[in-house]
Amino acid sequence: MNNTNAPSFWRPGTTAPGSTLDRVSANEESPIDPSIYSVHSQTRSTQSRDELSRQRKQLPVYKYRQHLLYAMEKFRTIIVVGETGCGKTTQLPQYLAEVGWSGQGKMIACTQPRRVAATSVALRVAEEVGCRIGGKVGYSVRFDNAEGATTQIKYMTDGMLVRETLMDPLLQRYSTIMVDEAHERGLYTDVLLGLLRKIMKKRSDLRVIVSSATLDAEAFAEFFETNDDLTAPENNTATILSVEGRMHHVDIHYRRFPVPNYMQACADSVMQIHSKEGAGDVLVFLTGQDEVDQVVDMLSDRASSVSDARLRLLPMPLYASLPSEMQMRVFQPVARGCRKVVIATNIAETSVTIPNIVFVVDSGFAKIRAYNPVSGLEALVVTPVSKASAKQRAGRAGRVKPGKAYRLYTLEDYKSLEDQNVPEIQRSNLGQVVLQLKALGIQNIVRFDYLSPPPPDSLIRSMDLLHSLGAITDEGELSEPLGERMVECPLEPKLAKILLMSGEMGCSEEILTIVAMLQVQNIFVSPTNKRREADNHRRLFTALEGDHLSLLNAYTTFHKNKQSSGFCQTYFLNRRSLLRATEIRKQLLKFLRRFNIPICSTSDTEIIRRCITGGFFANCARLSGDGTYKSLRNGQTMAIHPSSVLYDESPPPWVVYHEVILTKQEYMKEVTVIDPEWLLEAAPHFYEYSRLVRNPKG
DNA sequence: GAGCACTGC
């Protein structure tokens, strides 16, 4: 396997970055033992606040409400910095509405990177304001919105606002747009910031507020500064305003020496906290499900062997694919005399807040998705976290009272970490984003105002893909009607293409289902202790034609059984995911109706597979003599992922796949058997000169 | 016979 393109990374069990094994101390002792840990503190930082005020030569930070209004009058963009999760920034739209900034019939928008945040903040603010939701305060997220003619403050996901620009390119409905949690640098946050910068050139009345962590503030302010004359700062159009946080003090404990195995060290640290520290629950950060399960096992073993402890130790796992009943356990308070230890993946860093955490143990690693824009290969790699992530993790200990964070790496290693996470826009497949920018009439997507430009290869690759699908013309414009319709569908381009083709192919009912099912994860659950049973039940849905048709089987069987939870339990299906797929399917059906695409059904699986090939012709692989698959595009060696129904079967000579991901090797996921003749039919322009296809017997 | 961090429209 040639891994030269993959980023270098550390594997579980190895040491933290920059560390040397020979310095490891032989005996682990108490975490509070100063020979093992050095202690620092993380608390609200008056120093950095003063520094900021000095740098920008304005606004002291107290009386921030008055200053906010002053800044709204004088500046066009305000960067609000403050500790995340302190709740102050989300109240800001409310202040503005009170003094009439939502006047002239225009709304104040406040974007969030996640659905739950948008809806829950909206509900809280509506309660504070004393209105019903959908009145003065509303929200808008996919599948759910509550807004009306009187709505003045609208909480929404950033993706939703990007989508609104397709209908209303200058966002004329809004007087002020606040982008919350911008430091997370999500894909749609970055796209939105770029669009807002463009819109501000045409709308001098628009105010933009960006809420971020302290470290990024200058970069955001510079990005939004429209005064080119930097020698005349009195004409600045962007400013920074700092908000006092209300987080508790967190002591940070660094290891004096690197740890040889961080899973073992996590378990050791938890046991030491348990025996030496006072009351308070513990949160441990690891990289993946396997590691979480292993550490939970280690702790369960050890907890049962400790007899003299004052508190009982209750380890519990937390990761996204955990069944929801199990997830709920971590939010419930434990009985007196018990200490909860939540062993979690990155899900607990931002997405989910667990109450009562006083101690945090941070492995220093996370699993992140990387994208190689040249090969198009995605990879899941374990990498050291950034300083920003480490701070965020530590901060989880300071929400209820002063807490402690144990970092399983040295202070030197901490200093060597990157400041920030790599923005998602620089490590993602940009097919959908490029399509949307094209729809907004942006001719040169390479020169678009990005806060952090994506790799040019990534943009070029996306353009190539869109061109090969027929979504953009030879001149680089959105095609009509295909491209215009594709951008409407909330789907990646390949899936949008097959959905839009499915009507004329005679299989839109089936493609609707398949596309919806591909949008959700973990349809099939396999609990560690009942794996074989789960596998056997799963076979009932297996179609020999491959995973796409097996997904179709699972969905239709679920609905034949009236979406019953008993059925799901018996057959190890994830009901939550299936219901979400049902909702997505319903939404996609509306688009087909709007475009007058025939809604039709077939029982001929060949028609369905031909249709899939019509969008996934570039994702084709051929079985080679040694039993591996070779990608048709570049000869890359790949294997069928063990989660595929085709994994156990005799390998078919030709397949198309939904995606390929590098973990231990390059794996194709969601694989369907095809006839190579269909490739020529689907994309003659793509395969015209391919000898491989013209000579399939090789 | 092997595995999958997390969002969003």
Side-chain angles (χ1 to χ4, degrees):
Chain A
M1 187 177 71
N2 180 3
N3 249 349
T4 46
N5 284 330
S8 62
F9 58 93
W10 291 265
R11 276 287 178 195
T14 64
T15 57
S19 58
T20 46
L21 273 169
D22 55 0
R23 295 166 62 211
V24 171
S25 59
N27 290 307
E28 298 291 314
E29 287 172 53
S30 157
I32 27 189
D33 182 337
S35 68
I36 293 181
Y37 283 95
S38 60
V39 186
H40 300 257
S41 75
Q42 170 171 310
T43 183
R44 53 180 180 231
S45 159
T46 21
Q47 193 191 349
S48 70
R49 221 165 46 225
D50 292 345
E51 234 166 62
L52 271 173
S53 302
R54 224 183 6 256
Q55 278 169 14
R56 304 290 299 185
K57 287 188 175 48
Q58 16 73 19
L59 306 186
V61 291
Y62 39 86
K63 297 184 183 170
Y64 114 87
R65 219 171 136 163
Q66 287 90 323
H67 285 298
L68 172 67
L69 298 178
Y70 168 75
M72 287 292 283
E73 296 290 345
K74 185 166 185 311
F75 298 97
R76 299 179 62 190
T77 309
I78 306 174
I79 316 301
V80 179
V81 306
E83 283 179 48
T84 58
C86 72
K88 269 273 169 65
T89 51
T90 43
Q91 293 169 357
L92 210 143
Q94 204 177 322
Y95 293 165
L96 295 175
E98 278 171 27
V99 296
W101 266 97
S102 57
Q104 313 104 41
K106 295 200 177 187
M107 289 185 281
I108 296 169
C110 179
T111 72
Q112 298 288 331
R114 283 168 289 278
R115 289 162 48 94
V116 271
T119 51
S120 61
V121 172
L123 288 165
R124 200 187 68 211
V125 172
E127 203 182 304
E128 280 171 24
V129 169
C131 73
R132 64 176 176 83
I133 191 76
K136 197 171 152 190
V137 179
Y139 66 83
S140 173
V141 299
R142 188 181 188 183
F143 304 129
D144 191 10
N145 73 4
E147 56 175 314
T150 58
T151 301
Q152 291 175 11
I153 306 170
K154 183 163 138 192
Y155 291 88
M156 62 208 301
T157 45
D158 42 26
M160 205 69 183
L161 192 56
V162 169
R163 196 144 278 268
E164 277 193 18
T165 60
L166 294 172
M167 311 295 295
D168 178 9
L170 295 180
L171 295 172
Q172 294 284 7
R173 302 171 67 202
Y174 305 97
S175 64
T176 305
I177 290 164
M178 171 167 165
V179 183
D180 206 356
E181 313 282 6
H183 57 275
E184 285 184 22
R185 305 298 303 275
L187 181 57
Y188 284 98
T189 307
D190 271 26
V191 173
L192 181 61
L193 292 171
L195 291 174
L196 288 175
R197 188 164 192 298
K198 203 172 159 65
I199 291 170
M200 286 177 81
K201 288 178 185 161
K202 300 198 176 148
R203 274 193 61 193
S204 58
D205 62 316
L206 182 71
R207 294 290 178 275
V208 171
I209 301 172
V210 179
S211 124
S212 96
T214 316
L215 269 171
D216 309 296
E218 285 292 332
F220 283 120
E222 216 168 283
F223 180 69
F224 279 104
E225 182 57 64
T226 54
N227 171 25
D228 293 333
D229 183 5
L230 295 174
T231 60
E234 67 276 12
N235 295 330
N236 276 3
T237 59
T239 188
I240 297 173
L241 186 63
S242 184
V243 185
E244 197 164 333
R246 52 148 202 236
M247 301 285 282
H248 297 280
H249 173 96
V250 177
D251 275 336
I252 309 285
H253 298 248
Y254 291 96
R255 286 285 175 142
R256 289 211 184 272
F257 301 103
V259 300
N261 175 324
Y262 66 69
M263 282 195 279
Q264 190 62 51
C266 278
D268 293 343
S269 299
V270 170
M271 291 314 290
Q272 286 156 350
I273 290 167
H274 186 52
S275 58
K276 301 263 159 74
E277 296 279 6
D281 294 341
V282 187
L283 174 60
V284 181
F285 285 101
L286 286 166
T287 71
Q289 181 180 335
D290 271 359
E291 286 178 24
V292 168
D293 286 338
Q294 282 184 53
V295 172
V296 168
D297 287 347
M298 286 184 208
L299 287 172
S300 305
D301 287 351
R302 291 223 234 156
S304 55
S305 68
V306 177
S307 51
D308 60 337
R310 292 157 294 162
L311 289 166
R312 228 180 95 211
L313 193 68
L314 289 178
M316 41 188 90
L318 179 66
Y319 41 80
S321 63
L322 201 67
S324 39
E325 319 79 83
M326 293 279 283
Q327 282 191 12
M328 292 326 281
R329 272 181 69 203
V330 309
F331 300 105
Q332 289 151 5
V334 287
R336 280 175 76 90
C338 291
R339 191 201 297 275
K340 182 161 72 184
V341 182
V342 179
I343 323 290
T345 62
N346 245 2
I347 192 171
E349 192 180 302
T350 48
S351 309
V352 149
T353 300
I354 303 152
N356 293 320
I357 298 298
V358 180
F359 306 101
V360 161
V361 177
D362 177 11
S363 65
F365 291 94
K367 200 175 278 185
I368 64 153
R369 201 179 189 104
Y371 176 68
N372 181 325
V374 178
S375 67
L377 189 70
E378 294 189 271
L380 281 166
V381 290
V382 173
T383 33
V385 297
S386 66
K387 289 191 182 97
S389 265
K391 279 180 192 160
Q392 175 75 15
R393 288 177 171 191
R396 293 303 200 182
R399 296 184 76 91
V400 284
K401 63 176 192 181
K404 290 181 183 175
Y406 293 95
R407 290 185 174 155
L408 300 179
Y409 39 93
T410 65
L411 180 58
E412 288 67 40
D413 286 337
Y414 173 76
K415 286 178 182 162
S416 73
L417 297 175
E418 296 293 327
D419 285 343
Q420 302 291 318
N421 296 333
V422 177
E424 210 183 343
I425 200 168
Q426 294 184 326
R427 53 184 173 89
S428 302
N429 179 339
L430 297 176
Q432 251 184 293
V433 167
V434 168
L435 190 62
Q436 282 182 334
L437 294 180
K438 278 283 154 198
L440 288 165
I442 291 157
Q443 262 102 31
N444 190 335
I445 50 150
V446 177
R447 276 170 44 199
F448 180 70
D449 263 322
Y450 300 98
L451 183 56
S452 305
D457 282 337
S458 186
L459 294 166
I460 291 162
R461 193 189 167 82
S462 298
M463 288 293 284
D464 280 349
L465 169 75
L466 291 168
H467 183 253
S468 77
L469 291 173
I472 54 176
T473 63
D474 294 346
E475 291 74 38
E477 313 243 309
L478 205 62
S479 69
E480 202 199 329
L482 183 63
E484 289 187 344
R485 289 176 176 180
M486 277 172 68
V487 75
E488 296 277 315
C489 298
L491 292 170
E492 57 159 296
K494 291 190 193 93
L495 290 176
K497 169 82 187 268
I498 66 169
L499 182 63
L500 293 170
M501 285 170 47
S502 64
E504 57 190 88
M505 308 257 321
C507 54
S508 45
E509 294 273 13
E510 288 74 23
I511 295 292
L512 271 167
T513 303
I514 290 167
V515 167
M517 288 289 272
L518 287 169
Q519 304 300 297
V520 295
Q521 289 102 44
N522 311 313
I523 291 286
F524 302 100
V525 288
S526 77
T528 338
N529 48 353
K530 294 183 192 163
R531 194 165 296 170
R532 184 166 298 173
E533 203 185 331
D535 280 358
N536 284 337
H537 279 100
R538 204 182 145 173
R539 272 177 231 277
L540 296 171
F541 306 109
T542 298
L544 289 175
E545 293 94 332
D547 295 301
H548 294 91
L549 287 153
S550 302
L551 287 172
L552 177 64
N553 283 343
Y555 182 92
T556 44
T557 317
F558 171 65
H559 281 273
K560 272 188 194 139
N561 286 275
K562 303 193 165 59
Q563 315 178 357
S564 108
S565 50
F567 168 77
C568 290
Q569 222 142 35
T570 314
Y571 291 95
F572 294 93
L573 293 170
N574 184 337
R575 185 160 183 268
R576 209 172 21 144
S577 299
L578 283 160
L579 289 175
R580 186 171 158 81
T582 308
E583 256 194 305
I584 293 172
R585 190 185 189 280
K586 223 186 288 172
Q587 191 193 30
L588 296 175
L589 177 62
K590 278 189 207 156
F591 286 107
L592 293 195
R593 291 237 164 87
R594 199 205 296 166
F595 302 141
N596 289 318
I597 287 173
I599 310 301
C600 43
S601 179
T602 179
S603 54
D604 183 351
T605 71
E606 181 174 324
I607 291 175
I608 300 166
R609 288 182 292 144
R610 276 177 192 257
C611 186
I612 294 168
T613 309
F616 287 80
F617 51 84
N619 287 7
C620 177
R622 184 187 179 192
L623 186 65
S624 67
D626 61 3
T628 64
Y629 282 87
K630 303 273 188 236
S631 130
L632 218 54
R633 185 172 21 204
N634 58 11
Q636 168 83 54
T637 301
M638 298 180 298
I640 292 177
H641 193 277
S643 67
S644 168
V645 298
L646 295 177
Y647 185 82
D648 294 319
E649 307 296 329
S650 65
W654 292 87
V655 293
V656 290
Y657 52 87
H658 180 230
E659 62 176 353
V660 54
I661 191 146
L662 170 71
T663 49
K664 281 188 177 163
Q665 56 175 308
E666 280 83 2
Y667 280 116
M668 296 178 279
K669 296 179 70 179
E670 267 71 57
V671 183
T672 277
V673 184
I674 61 148
D675 180 327
E677 288 299 319
W678 303 346
L679 295 169
L680 282 170
E681 187 184 281
H685 52 290
F686 201 79
Y687 282 115
E688 202 171 5
Y689 301 107
S690 169
R691 273 166 295 145
L692 275 170
V693 180
R694 293 204 178 278
N695 187 10
K697 297 276 180 290

